[in-house]
Amino acid sequence: MARRIKWRSVHDHFSYEVAELAKVTGVCRSTVRNWIRDGLPVITDQRPHLIVGEEFKRWYGQRIKARKRPCRPGEMYCFKCSHPRAPALGMADYIPRNKTGGSLTALCNVCERPMFRACQLHRIGQTMPGVRVSIRKRGDDIKS
Ligand SMILES: [Zn+2]
């Protein structure tokens, strides 16, 4: 899983050199150079080249959006596979967090690692059609 990038600490009206943007977002300079290669807009009419904070945020926000892989009904996101997967054996557990919401947990049908998906209790049927979901009591241990 990718490290969390502190892109919200970038100021809209500041311009950053590569090293400055790297420091603010908590990444290596080489990562910023890779972003530039991947299309991050840069002002290049003079040295040092500058990245406008607002442009960076717009570019990075679009990049996040484009990379999201939403789960369809019956799928949960497997962080090991980096892909939405169906629960192994068509079975999942629901662990309530409060009266209305909680999380589903199941094993990935490909790598057999645990997967999780937030879910509202009344939507289990729509979220996980065809999956046998066992409702646990709050505070039950999660067996792996
Ligand atoms: Zn998996």
Side-chain angles (χ1 to χ4, degrees), residues 78-83 85 108-113 115:
C78 177
F79 285 103
K80 175 74 179 165
C81 297
S82 301
H83 208 274
R85 300 287 191 203
C108 172
N109 68 345
V110 174
C111 71
E112 300 185 344
R113 298 290 180 96
M115 309 185 289

Side-chain angles (χ1 to χ4, degrees), residues 60-104:
Y60 195 73
Q62 283 169 355
R63 185 180 162 102
I64 291 174
K65 237 187 198 168
R67 290 187 168 193
K68 271 196 180 158
R69 298 167 190 218
C71 295
R72 289 174 306 197
E75 289 181 336
M76 299 165 76
Y77 192 81
C78 177
F79 285 103
K80 175 74 179 165
C81 297
S82 301
H83 208 274
R85 300 287 191 203
L89 309 172
M91 286 170 21
D93 287 326
Y94 176 82
I95 301 152
R97 188 174 6 94
N98 53 42
K99 274 184 187 168
T100 55
S103 59
L104 292 159

Side-chain angles (χ1 to χ4, degrees), residues 37-49:
R37 203 197 50 218
D38 290 350
L40 171 63
V42 190
I43 300 167
T44 55
D45 10 332
Q46 57 184 36
R47 296 232 166 227
H49 293 172

